[in-house]
Amino acid sequence: MRTSPRSFLSALAAMVLALCSCSYFEPSPPPNSFGTAPPPTKSIENTMRNFVDQGAVAVVAEVRWPGETWSRAYGVRNLESNDAATPEDRVFVASVTKSMTAVSVMKLVEDGLIGLDDPVNGVLDSFTTALKPPGPITVRQLLGHTSGMRPFQEVTEKTADDVPRVINENISPQRGLELTGQLPWDARDVGFFRYSDSNYLALGQLVEKLRGRPFADVLREDIIAPLGLENTSVDRTAGGEPDVIRGYINHRGERLDITDAPGVVGSPAYGAISTVSDINDFFAALFRGDLLARESVQEMTRTDAIPLYGLGVWKWNQDCNGDHRFGGLGGFWTYRTAAVASTDGQYQATMTLVPPPLPTPLEDPEAGDRINFWDDQMASALQETLDRLCP
């Protein structure tokens, strides 16, 4: 779920945030193989420290390159006990979930259960009961956000008065699509990029329909179990575990812990809880070809029509070999995650920021700009780090 449109080239803006004193966890130092030159992780570590200086609850990151792994965690696991955060702590990765859902959908295609360019209109009941598509909508269009379907949040998110309702509302995929059905769906929008969680709610239904099992079970079978991602879950009870970093907002002067907000965990659009290490494991396996055939990965990373987005993955700048990196972006009001990986499966970098308890964009119109600024800082630090690791 995205709180505001992405801007990869947003201008740097000054931010005035309340400073707080936060503890930090620091594991063993990075390898001493870089001589007197600054370590390649300097940029990412400076960025993490700056986030905590600006009042972040926590920030965790892990970088991998051939033969080495670097990880750090700053801040605290929760603001009640002030227990130090660790790199192994779990976080909500929000729309990074879409990359996982995309893998399960591509496996449907590989198994011959549906074609990538087949319409879903006659397969999904919601396309006749809840939605009013202007014409045939294909699997590819849902994966690439080119279906023209608008996000259901346009119905649910309105003003600051709606914050308590939005937090506590349990929106199932079916309910999300019913809300989407209240919005116009213009045939002129089909084929053009419009980022919408509703696309992936429909894809979750497609996975369930064609596999005959709940989405969470399919994701475990397709990804979590084969890769041994022991800290990744789409189970609804996972949010209350003690190793999950808590997320907060400030609503009208009161700090609210909204970590366990219903309607989040389990969603095929944004419902995974994971660790930075597991996310790196996932993208490494995807680009090594451990999850899908090479042809399927190539389809996911094609960006002919949409320069910055493939099928379930965002496109990043060129890497050391002239290829582009790919990965995921995810964000709630309370968690921001960026993951960048090379397509040879050798380099990965993931960071999650748990922002300070601030008013939501519904209460503070400038909050969206602040969030975009943080997202860009994370992505820049990850990219710069991987650039410095180029052989």
PDB file of all heavy atoms in Angstrom, residues 6 10 12-13 15-17 47 50-51 54-56 332-333 336 338 351 353-359 367-381:
ATOM      1  N   ARG A   6       4.980   7.716  -6.184  1.00  0.00           N
ATOM      2  CA  ARG A   6       6.430   7.680  -6.115  1.00  0.00           C
ATOM      3  C   ARG A   6       7.026   8.787  -6.962  1.00  0.00           C
ATOM      4  O   ARG A   6       6.496   9.188  -7.986  1.00  0.00           O
ATOM      5  CB  ARG A   6       6.941   6.341  -6.654  1.00  0.00           C
ATOM      6  CG  ARG A   6       6.701   5.204  -5.700  1.00  0.00           C
ATOM      7  CD  ARG A   6       7.668   5.275  -4.526  1.00  0.00           C
ATOM      8  NE  ARG A   6       9.012   5.371  -5.014  1.00  0.00           N
ATOM      9  CZ  ARG A   6       9.916   6.158  -4.486  1.00  0.00           C
ATOM     10  NH1 ARG A   6       9.635   6.910  -3.462  1.00  0.00           N
ATOM     11  NH2 ARG A   6      11.131   6.188  -4.967  1.00  0.00           N
ATOM     12  N   SER A  10      12.668  13.153  -6.950  1.00  0.00           N
ATOM     13  CA  SER A  10      12.159  14.262  -6.134  1.00  0.00           C
ATOM     14  C   SER A  10      13.290  15.117  -5.593  1.00  0.00           C
ATOM     15  O   SER A  10      14.350  14.632  -5.267  1.00  0.00           O
ATOM     16  CB  SER A  10      11.313  13.716  -4.977  1.00  0.00           C
ATOM     17  OG  SER A  10      12.115  12.964  -4.123  1.00  0.00           O
ATOM     18  N   LEU A  12      15.531  17.406  -3.160  1.00  0.00           N
ATOM     19  CA  LEU A  12      15.830  17.346  -1.732  1.00  0.00           C
ATOM     20  C   LEU A  12      15.129  18.505  -1.045  1.00  0.00           C
ATOM     21  O   LEU A  12      15.122  19.627  -1.518  1.00  0.00           O
ATOM     22  CB  LEU A  12      17.347  17.451  -1.512  1.00  0.00           C
ATOM     23  CG  LEU A  12      18.192  16.314  -2.064  1.00  0.00           C
ATOM     24  CD1 LEU A  12      19.655  16.555  -1.753  1.00  0.00           C
ATOM     25  CD2 LEU A  12      17.754  14.988  -1.512  1.00  0.00           C
ATOM     26  N   ALA A  13      14.545  18.221   0.076  1.00  0.00           N
ATOM     27  CA  ALA A  13      13.820  19.247   0.834  1.00  0.00           C
ATOM     28  C   ALA A  13      14.269  19.216   2.271  1.00  0.00           C
ATOM     29  O   ALA A  13      14.619  18.184   2.805  1.00  0.00           O
ATOM     30  CB  ALA A  13      12.316  18.999   0.748  1.00  0.00           C
ATOM     31  N   MET A  15      13.919  19.201   6.206  1.00  0.00           N
ATOM     32  CA  MET A  15      12.940  18.622   7.114  1.00  0.00           C
ATOM     33  C   MET A  15      13.303  19.019   8.530  1.00  0.00           C
ATOM     34  O   MET A  15      14.467  18.964   8.910  1.00  0.00           O
ATOM     35  CB  MET A  15      12.932  17.093   7.029  1.00  0.00           C
ATOM     36  CG  MET A  15      12.470  16.542   5.715  1.00  0.00           C
ATOM     37  SD  MET A  15      12.279  14.760   5.824  1.00  0.00           S
ATOM     38  CE  MET A  15      13.921  14.291   6.324  1.00  0.00           C
ATOM     39  N   VAL A  16      12.310  19.400   9.297  1.00  0.00           N
ATOM     40  CA  VAL A  16      12.520  19.716  10.698  1.00  0.00           C
ATOM     41  C   VAL A  16      11.782  18.666  11.501  1.00  0.00           C
ATOM     42  O   VAL A  16      10.563  18.653  11.526  1.00  0.00           O
ATOM     43  CB  VAL A  16      11.981  21.111  11.057  1.00  0.00           C
ATOM     44  CG1 VAL A  16      12.215  21.412  12.533  1.00  0.00           C
ATOM     45  CG2 VAL A  16      12.659  22.151  10.196  1.00  0.00           C
ATOM     46  N   LEU A  17      12.520  17.748  12.127  1.00  0.00           N
ATOM     47  CA  LEU A  17      11.935  16.655  12.881  1.00  0.00           C
ATOM     48  C   LEU A  17      12.426  16.711  14.309  1.00  0.00           C
ATOM     49  O   LEU A  17      13.573  17.102  14.567  1.00  0.00           O
ATOM     50  CB  LEU A  17      12.312  15.299  12.263  1.00  0.00           C
ATOM     51  CG  LEU A  17      11.835  15.074  10.823  1.00  0.00           C
ATOM     52  CD1 LEU A  17      12.369  13.756  10.304  1.00  0.00           C
ATOM     53  CD2 LEU A  17      10.333  15.094  10.776  1.00  0.00           C
ATOM     54  N   THR A  47      23.441   7.052   6.210  1.00  0.00           N
ATOM     55  CA  THR A  47      22.009   7.282   6.011  1.00  0.00           C
ATOM     56  C   THR A  47      21.205   6.737   7.177  1.00  0.00           C
ATOM     57  O   THR A  47      20.269   7.393   7.675  1.00  0.00           O
ATOM     58  CB  THR A  47      21.542   6.629   4.696  1.00  0.00           C
ATOM     59  OG1 THR A  47      22.255   7.225   3.599  1.00  0.00           O
ATOM     60  CG2 THR A  47      20.050   6.820   4.493  1.00  0.00           C
ATOM     61  N   ASN A  50      21.571   8.962  10.184  1.00  0.00           N
ATOM     62  CA  ASN A  50      20.814  10.200   9.998  1.00  0.00           C
ATOM     63  C   ASN A  50      19.329   9.996  10.278  1.00  0.00           C
ATOM     64  O   ASN A  50      18.671  10.856  10.863  1.00  0.00           O
ATOM     65  CB  ASN A  50      21.014  10.738   8.583  1.00  0.00           C
ATOM     66  CG  ASN A  50      22.383  11.350   8.377  1.00  0.00           C
ATOM     67  OD1 ASN A  50      23.029  11.769   9.335  1.00  0.00           O
ATOM     68  ND2 ASN A  50      22.834  11.401   7.132  1.00  0.00           N
ATOM     69  N   PHE A  51      18.791   8.857   9.844  1.00  0.00           N
ATOM     70  CA  PHE A  51      17.388   8.566  10.119  1.00  0.00           C
ATOM     71  C   PHE A  51      17.113   8.544  11.623  1.00  0.00           C
ATOM     72  O   PHE A  51      16.120   9.094  12.101  1.00  0.00           O
ATOM     73  CB  PHE A  51      16.983   7.225   9.503  1.00  0.00           C
ATOM     74  CG  PHE A  51      16.732   7.268   8.021  1.00  0.00           C
ATOM     75  CD1 PHE A  51      17.128   6.211   7.217  1.00  0.00           C
ATOM     76  CD2 PHE A  51      16.095   8.341   7.434  1.00  0.00           C
ATOM     77  CE1 PHE A  51      16.897   6.226   5.852  1.00  0.00           C
ATOM     78  CE2 PHE A  51      15.854   8.374   6.061  1.00  0.00           C
ATOM     79  CZ  PHE A  51      16.265   7.305   5.273  1.00  0.00           C
ATOM     80  N   GLN A  54      17.091  11.859  13.184  1.00  0.00           N
ATOM     81  CA  GLN A  54      15.867  12.586  12.872  1.00  0.00           C
ATOM     82  C   GLN A  54      14.654  12.034  13.617  1.00  0.00           C
ATOM     83  O   GLN A  54      13.540  12.497  13.424  1.00  0.00           O
ATOM     84  CB  GLN A  54      15.607  12.535  11.363  1.00  0.00           C
ATOM     85  CG  GLN A  54      16.656  13.283  10.547  1.00  0.00           C
ATOM     86  CD  GLN A  54      16.558  12.970   9.061  1.00  0.00           C
ATOM     87  OE1 GLN A  54      15.664  12.260   8.622  1.00  0.00           O
ATOM     88  NE2 GLN A  54      17.487  13.491   8.286  1.00  0.00           N
ATOM     89  N   GLY A  55      14.881  11.049  14.489  1.00  0.00           N
ATOM     90  CA  GLY A  55      13.799  10.555  15.327  1.00  0.00           C
ATOM     91  C   GLY A  55      13.195   9.241  14.915  1.00  0.00           C
ATOM     92  O   GLY A  55      12.182   8.821  15.489  1.00  0.00           O
ATOM     93  N   ALA A  56      13.760   8.529  13.933  1.00  0.00           N
ATOM     94  CA  ALA A  56      13.209   7.248  13.514  1.00  0.00           C
ATOM     95  C   ALA A  56      13.149   6.272  14.690  1.00  0.00           C
ATOM     96  O   ALA A  56      14.037   6.256  15.545  1.00  0.00           O
ATOM     97  CB  ALA A  56      14.052   6.650  12.395  1.00  0.00           C
ATOM     98  N   PHE A 332       3.983   1.696   4.356  1.00  0.00           N
ATOM     99  CA  PHE A 332       2.799   2.146   5.060  1.00  0.00           C
ATOM    100  C   PHE A 332       3.147   3.484   5.703  1.00  0.00           C
ATOM    101  O   PHE A 332       4.249   4.002   5.559  1.00  0.00           O
ATOM    102  CB  PHE A 332       2.393   1.150   6.150  1.00  0.00           C
ATOM    103  CG  PHE A 332       2.042  -0.214   5.634  1.00  0.00           C
ATOM    104  CD1 PHE A 332       2.703  -1.339   6.098  1.00  0.00           C
ATOM    105  CD2 PHE A 332       1.045  -0.384   4.692  1.00  0.00           C
ATOM    106  CE1 PHE A 332       2.381  -2.592   5.630  1.00  0.00           C
ATOM    107  CE2 PHE A 332       0.710  -1.639   4.216  1.00  0.00           C
ATOM    108  CZ  PHE A 332       1.379  -2.752   4.700  1.00  0.00           C
ATOM    109  N   TRP A 333       2.223   4.000   6.486  1.00  0.00           N
ATOM    110  CA  TRP A 333       2.548   5.176   7.291  1.00  0.00           C
ATOM    111  C   TRP A 333       3.690   4.858   8.249  1.00  0.00           C
ATOM    112  O   TRP A 333       4.442   5.748   8.637  1.00  0.00           O
ATOM    113  CB  TRP A 333       1.330   5.594   8.107  1.00  0.00           C
ATOM    114  CG  TRP A 333       0.161   6.040   7.292  1.00  0.00           C
ATOM    115  CD1 TRP A 333       0.197   6.561   6.024  1.00  0.00           C
ATOM    116  CD2 TRP A 333      -1.204   6.013   7.671  1.00  0.00           C
ATOM    117  NE1 TRP A 333      -1.071   6.861   5.595  1.00  0.00           N
ATOM    118  CE2 TRP A 333      -1.959   6.535   6.587  1.00  0.00           C
ATOM    119  CE3 TRP A 333      -1.887   5.611   8.818  1.00  0.00           C
ATOM    120  CZ2 TRP A 333      -3.336   6.662   6.626  1.00  0.00           C
ATOM    121  CZ3 TRP A 333      -3.269   5.733   8.858  1.00  0.00           C
ATOM    122  CH2 TRP A 333      -3.979   6.251   7.781  1.00  0.00           C
ATOM    123  N   ARG A 336       8.783   1.734   5.866  1.00  0.00           N
ATOM    124  CA  ARG A 336       9.233   2.026   4.508  1.00  0.00           C
ATOM    125  C   ARG A 336      10.346   1.045   4.166  1.00  0.00           C
ATOM    126  O   ARG A 336      11.338   0.952   4.900  1.00  0.00           O
ATOM    127  CB  ARG A 336       9.771   3.454   4.392  1.00  0.00           C
ATOM    128  CG  ARG A 336       8.946   4.536   5.059  1.00  0.00           C
ATOM    129  CD  ARG A 336       7.553   4.653   4.530  1.00  0.00           C
ATOM    130  NE  ARG A 336       7.503   4.890   3.086  1.00  0.00           N
ATOM    131  CZ  ARG A 336       6.358   4.931   2.413  1.00  0.00           C
ATOM    132  NH1 ARG A 336       5.201   4.745   3.037  1.00  0.00           N
ATOM    133  NH2 ARG A 336       6.363   5.147   1.114  1.00  0.00           N
ATOM    134  N   ALA A 338      12.927  -0.612   1.010  1.00  0.00           N
ATOM    135  CA  ALA A 338      13.461  -0.615  -0.350  1.00  0.00           C
ATOM    136  C   ALA A 338      14.415  -1.797  -0.477  1.00  0.00           C
ATOM    137  O   ALA A 338      15.208  -2.069   0.430  1.00  0.00           O
ATOM    138  CB  ALA A 338      14.201   0.683  -0.658  1.00  0.00           C
ATOM    139  N   MET A 351      16.752  -2.256   2.944  1.00  0.00           N
ATOM    140  CA  MET A 351      16.657  -1.413   4.131  1.00  0.00           C
ATOM    141  C   MET A 351      15.195  -1.178   4.466  1.00  0.00           C
ATOM    142  O   MET A 351      14.369  -0.977   3.581  1.00  0.00           O
ATOM    143  CB  MET A 351      17.344  -0.061   3.902  1.00  0.00           C
ATOM    144  CG  MET A 351      17.317   0.857   5.134  1.00  0.00           C
ATOM    145  SD  MET A 351      17.892   2.559   4.796  1.00  0.00           S
ATOM    146  CE  MET A 351      19.577   2.277   4.258  1.00  0.00           C
ATOM    147  N   LEU A 353      12.951   1.329   7.072  1.00  0.00           N
ATOM    148  CA  LEU A 353      12.887   2.448   7.995  1.00  0.00           C
ATOM    149  C   LEU A 353      11.545   2.428   8.713  1.00  0.00           C
ATOM    150  O   LEU A 353      10.496   2.292   8.071  1.00  0.00           O
ATOM    151  CB  LEU A 353      13.035   3.769   7.225  1.00  0.00           C
ATOM    152  CG  LEU A 353      12.650   5.060   7.962  1.00  0.00           C
ATOM    153  CD1 LEU A 353      13.645   5.367   9.081  1.00  0.00           C
ATOM    154  CD2 LEU A 353      12.567   6.225   6.974  1.00  0.00           C
ATOM    155  N   VAL A 354      11.585   2.524  10.040  1.00  0.00           N
ATOM    156  CA  VAL A 354      10.368   2.702  10.839  1.00  0.00           C
ATOM    157  C   VAL A 354      10.373   4.163  11.271  1.00  0.00           C
ATOM    158  O   VAL A 354      11.122   4.554  12.167  1.00  0.00           O
ATOM    159  CB  VAL A 354      10.344   1.757  12.052  1.00  0.00           C
ATOM    160  CG1 VAL A 354       9.023   1.897  12.806  1.00  0.00           C
ATOM    161  CG2 VAL A 354      10.548   0.303  11.607  1.00  0.00           C
ATOM    162  N   PRO A 355       9.572   5.019  10.628  1.00  0.00           N
ATOM    163  CA  PRO A 355       9.655   6.463  10.857  1.00  0.00           C
ATOM    164  C   PRO A 355       9.249   6.871  12.270  1.00  0.00           C
ATOM    165  O   PRO A 355       8.671   6.082  13.028  1.00  0.00           O
ATOM    166  CB  PRO A 355       8.667   7.037   9.825  1.00  0.00           C
ATOM    167  CG  PRO A 355       8.477   5.956   8.819  1.00  0.00           C
ATOM    168  CD  PRO A 355       8.604   4.683   9.576  1.00  0.00           C
ATOM    169  N   PRO A 356       9.538   8.117  12.635  1.00  0.00           N
ATOM    170  CA  PRO A 356       9.065   8.635  13.919  1.00  0.00           C
ATOM    171  C   PRO A 356       7.536   8.626  13.964  1.00  0.00           C
ATOM    172  O   PRO A 356       6.883   8.599  12.914  1.00  0.00           O
ATOM    173  CB  PRO A 356       9.590  10.079  13.952  1.00  0.00           C
ATOM    174  CG  PRO A 356      10.598  10.173  12.862  1.00  0.00           C
ATOM    175  CD  PRO A 356      10.249   9.138  11.847  1.00  0.00           C
ATOM    176  N   PRO A 357       6.937   8.645  15.149  1.00  0.00           N
ATOM    177  CA  PRO A 357       5.471   8.766  15.235  1.00  0.00           C
ATOM    178  C   PRO A 357       5.033  10.148  14.759  1.00  0.00           C
ATOM    179  O   PRO A 357       5.112  11.122  15.495  1.00  0.00           O
ATOM    180  CB  PRO A 357       5.188   8.568  16.731  1.00  0.00           C
ATOM    181  CG  PRO A 357       6.408   7.933  17.302  1.00  0.00           C
ATOM    182  CD  PRO A 357       7.554   8.454  16.481  1.00  0.00           C
ATOM    183  N   LEU A 358       4.605  10.229  13.526  1.00  0.00           N
ATOM    184  CA  LEU A 358       4.224  11.499  12.908  1.00  0.00           C
ATOM    185  C   LEU A 358       2.767  11.451  12.471  1.00  0.00           C
ATOM    186  O   LEU A 358       2.194  10.367  12.318  1.00  0.00           O
ATOM    187  CB  LEU A 358       5.109  11.777  11.694  1.00  0.00           C
ATOM    188  CG  LEU A 358       6.603  11.975  11.957  1.00  0.00           C
ATOM    189  CD1 LEU A 358       7.342  12.040  10.643  1.00  0.00           C
ATOM    190  CD2 LEU A 358       6.824  13.236  12.768  1.00  0.00           C
ATOM    191  N   PRO A 359       2.157  12.602  12.260  1.00  0.00           N
ATOM    192  CA  PRO A 359       0.801  12.603  11.691  1.00  0.00           C
ATOM    193  C   PRO A 359       0.791  11.929  10.328  1.00  0.00           C
ATOM    194  O   PRO A 359       1.765  11.989   9.581  1.00  0.00           O
ATOM    195  CB  PRO A 359       0.475  14.098  11.573  1.00  0.00           C
ATOM    196  CG  PRO A 359       1.371  14.761  12.566  1.00  0.00           C
ATOM    197  CD  PRO A 359       2.630  13.955  12.583  1.00  0.00           C
ATOM    198  N   ALA A 367       3.108  15.289   4.741  1.00  0.00           N
ATOM    199  CA  ALA A 367       3.681  14.006   5.142  1.00  0.00           C
ATOM    200  C   ALA A 367       4.090  13.168   3.935  1.00  0.00           C
ATOM    201  O   ALA A 367       5.095  12.452   3.970  1.00  0.00           O
ATOM    202  CB  ALA A 367       2.698  13.230   6.019  1.00  0.00           C
ATOM    203  N   GLY A 368       3.308  13.249   2.856  1.00  0.00           N
ATOM    204  CA  GLY A 368       3.648  12.474   1.665  1.00  0.00           C
ATOM    205  C   GLY A 368       4.990  12.872   1.079  1.00  0.00           C
ATOM    206  O   GLY A 368       5.777  12.014   0.669  1.00  0.00           O
ATOM    207  N   ASP A 369       5.281  14.174   1.053  1.00  0.00           N
ATOM    208  CA  ASP A 369       6.572  14.642   0.548  1.00  0.00           C
ATOM    209  C   ASP A 369       7.701  14.145   1.440  1.00  0.00           C
ATOM    210  O   ASP A 369       8.772  13.767   0.955  1.00  0.00           O
ATOM    211  CB  ASP A 369       6.596  16.170   0.488  1.00  0.00           C
ATOM    212  CG  ASP A 369       5.659  16.728  -0.560  1.00  0.00           C
ATOM    213  OD1 ASP A 369       5.342  15.990  -1.523  1.00  0.00           O
ATOM    214  OD2 ASP A 369       5.237  17.889  -0.411  1.00  0.00           O
ATOM    215  N   ARG A 370       7.465  14.157   2.744  1.00  0.00           N
ATOM    216  CA  ARG A 370       8.473  13.691   3.688  1.00  0.00           C
ATOM    217  C   ARG A 370       8.762  12.206   3.467  1.00  0.00           C
ATOM    218  O   ARG A 370       9.913  11.767   3.460  1.00  0.00           O
ATOM    219  CB  ARG A 370       7.955  13.934   5.115  1.00  0.00           C
ATOM    220  CG  ARG A 370       9.030  14.104   6.166  1.00  0.00           C
ATOM    221  CD  ARG A 370       8.404  14.395   7.520  1.00  0.00           C
ATOM    222  NE  ARG A 370       7.765  15.695   7.577  1.00  0.00           N
ATOM    223  CZ  ARG A 370       6.528  15.900   7.993  1.00  0.00           C
ATOM    224  NH1 ARG A 370       5.778  14.897   8.364  1.00  0.00           N
ATOM    225  NH2 ARG A 370       6.040  17.119   8.041  1.00  0.00           N
ATOM    226  N   ILE A 371       7.712  11.428   3.250  1.00  0.00           N
ATOM    227  CA  ILE A 371       7.865   9.996   3.030  1.00  0.00           C
ATOM    228  C   ILE A 371       8.623   9.734   1.730  1.00  0.00           C
ATOM    229  O   ILE A 371       9.518   8.887   1.662  1.00  0.00           O
ATOM    230  CB  ILE A 371       6.486   9.316   3.021  1.00  0.00           C
ATOM    231  CG1 ILE A 371       5.936   9.260   4.452  1.00  0.00           C
ATOM    232  CG2 ILE A 371       6.567   7.920   2.435  1.00  0.00           C
ATOM    233  CD1 ILE A 371       4.489   8.838   4.538  1.00  0.00           C
ATOM    234  N   ASN A 372       8.271  10.459   0.661  1.00  0.00           N
ATOM    235  CA  ASN A 372       8.989  10.295  -0.603  1.00  0.00           C
ATOM    236  C   ASN A 372      10.465  10.639  -0.445  1.00  0.00           C
ATOM    237  O   ASN A 372      11.342   9.994  -1.042  1.00  0.00           O
ATOM    238  CB  ASN A 372       8.369  11.176  -1.688  1.00  0.00           C
ATOM    239  CG  ASN A 372       7.146  10.541  -2.311  1.00  0.00           C
ATOM    240  OD1 ASN A 372       6.912   9.348  -2.169  1.00  0.00           O
ATOM    241  ND2 ASN A 372       6.359  11.346  -2.997  1.00  0.00           N
ATOM    242  N   PHE A 373      10.749  11.667   0.340  1.00  0.00           N
ATOM    243  CA  PHE A 373      12.130  12.071   0.590  1.00  0.00           C
ATOM    244  C   PHE A 373      12.896  10.942   1.272  1.00  0.00           C
ATOM    245  O   PHE A 373      14.015  10.605   0.878  1.00  0.00           O
ATOM    246  CB  PHE A 373      12.136  13.329   1.459  1.00  0.00           C
ATOM    247  CG  PHE A 373      13.515  13.843   1.789  1.00  0.00           C
ATOM    248  CD1 PHE A 373      14.268  14.508   0.838  1.00  0.00           C
ATOM    249  CD2 PHE A 373      14.051  13.661   3.051  1.00  0.00           C
ATOM    250  CE1 PHE A 373      15.534  14.986   1.140  1.00  0.00           C
ATOM    251  CE2 PHE A 373      15.315  14.135   3.367  1.00  0.00           C
ATOM    252  CZ  PHE A 373      16.063  14.801   2.412  1.00  0.00           C
ATOM    253  N   TRP A 374      12.298  10.320   2.286  1.00  0.00           N
ATOM    254  CA  TRP A 374      12.952   9.200   2.961  1.00  0.00           C
ATOM    255  C   TRP A 374      13.157   8.016   2.009  1.00  0.00           C
ATOM    256  O   TRP A 374      14.209   7.379   1.999  1.00  0.00           O
ATOM    257  CB  TRP A 374      12.117   8.754   4.166  1.00  0.00           C
ATOM    258  CG  TRP A 374      12.138   9.702   5.307  1.00  0.00           C
ATOM    259  CD1 TRP A 374      13.147  10.557   5.654  1.00  0.00           C
ATOM    260  CD2 TRP A 374      11.097   9.931   6.256  1.00  0.00           C
ATOM    261  NE1 TRP A 374      12.796  11.291   6.766  1.00  0.00           N
ATOM    262  CE2 TRP A 374      11.552  10.924   7.160  1.00  0.00           C
ATOM    263  CE3 TRP A 374       9.832   9.393   6.441  1.00  0.00           C
ATOM    264  CZ2 TRP A 374      10.780  11.379   8.215  1.00  0.00           C
ATOM    265  CZ3 TRP A 374       9.055   9.839   7.505  1.00  0.00           C
ATOM    266  CH2 TRP A 374       9.527  10.819   8.372  1.00  0.00           C
ATOM    267  N   ASP A 375      12.133   7.719   1.217  1.00  0.00           N
ATOM    268  CA  ASP A 375      12.254   6.617   0.260  1.00  0.00           C
ATOM    269  C   ASP A 375      13.419   6.837  -0.693  1.00  0.00           C
ATOM    270  O   ASP A 375      14.189   5.923  -0.991  1.00  0.00           O
ATOM    271  CB  ASP A 375      10.959   6.466  -0.539  1.00  0.00           C
ATOM    272  CG  ASP A 375       9.822   5.884   0.276  1.00  0.00           C
ATOM    273  OD1 ASP A 375      10.068   5.427   1.411  1.00  0.00           O
ATOM    274  OD2 ASP A 375       8.682   5.881  -0.222  1.00  0.00           O
ATOM    275  N   ASP A 376      13.545   8.064  -1.184  1.00  0.00           N
ATOM    276  CA  ASP A 376      14.626   8.367  -2.109  1.00  0.00           C
ATOM    277  C   ASP A 376      15.990   8.267  -1.426  1.00  0.00           C
ATOM    278  O   ASP A 376      16.964   7.822  -2.032  1.00  0.00           O
ATOM    279  CB  ASP A 376      14.440   9.756  -2.705  1.00  0.00           C
ATOM    280  CG  ASP A 376      13.293   9.817  -3.698  1.00  0.00           C
ATOM    281  OD1 ASP A 376      12.852   8.743  -4.153  1.00  0.00           O
ATOM    282  OD2 ASP A 376      12.821  10.920  -4.014  1.00  0.00           O
ATOM    283  N   GLN A 377      16.061   8.695  -0.157  1.00  0.00           N
ATOM    284  CA  GLN A 377      17.312   8.557   0.579  1.00  0.00           C
ATOM    285  C   GLN A 377      17.704   7.091   0.731  1.00  0.00           C
ATOM    286  O   GLN A 377      18.874   6.728   0.565  1.00  0.00           O
ATOM    287  CB  GLN A 377      17.181   9.199   1.960  1.00  0.00           C
ATOM    288  CG  GLN A 377      17.263  10.709   1.967  1.00  0.00           C
ATOM    289  CD  GLN A 377      17.278  11.258   3.385  1.00  0.00           C
ATOM    290  OE1 GLN A 377      16.378  10.992   4.178  1.00  0.00           O
ATOM    291  NE2 GLN A 377      18.300  12.014   3.706  1.00  0.00           N
ATOM    292  N   MET A 378      16.737   6.254   1.066  1.00  0.00           N
ATOM    293  CA  MET A 378      17.024   4.825   1.192  1.00  0.00           C
ATOM    294  C   MET A 378      17.519   4.236  -0.118  1.00  0.00           C
ATOM    295  O   MET A 378      18.544   3.559  -0.167  1.00  0.00           O
ATOM    296  CB  MET A 378      15.771   4.066   1.647  1.00  0.00           C
ATOM    297  CG  MET A 378      15.427   4.217   3.097  1.00  0.00           C
ATOM    298  SD  MET A 378      14.272   2.918   3.671  1.00  0.00           S
ATOM    299  CE  MET A 378      12.852   3.269   2.646  1.00  0.00           C
ATOM    300  N   ALA A 379      16.770   4.502  -1.183  1.00  0.00           N
ATOM    301  CA  ALA A 379      17.136   3.943  -2.480  1.00  0.00           C
ATOM    302  C   ALA A 379      18.503   4.437  -2.933  1.00  0.00           C
ATOM    303  O   ALA A 379      19.309   3.660  -3.458  1.00  0.00           O
ATOM    304  CB  ALA A 379      16.075   4.299  -3.513  1.00  0.00           C
ATOM    305  N   SER A 380      18.797   5.719  -2.718  1.00  0.00           N
ATOM    306  CA  SER A 380      20.097   6.260  -3.118  1.00  0.00           C
ATOM    307  C   SER A 380      21.239   5.599  -2.347  1.00  0.00           C
ATOM    308  O   SER A 380      22.285   5.284  -2.920  1.00  0.00           O
ATOM    309  CB  SER A 380      20.124   7.780  -2.899  1.00  0.00           C
ATOM    310  OG  SER A 380      19.206   8.434  -3.739  1.00  0.00           O
ATOM    311  N   ALA A 381      21.027   5.395  -1.039  1.00  0.00           N
ATOM    312  CA  ALA A 381      22.071   4.765  -0.228  1.00  0.00           C
ATOM    313  C   ALA A 381      22.314   3.323  -0.663  1.00  0.00           C
ATOM    314  O   ALA A 381      23.463   2.872  -0.735  1.00  0.00           O
ATOM    315  CB  ALA A 381      21.687   4.813   1.246  1.00  0.00           C
TER     316      ALA A 381
END
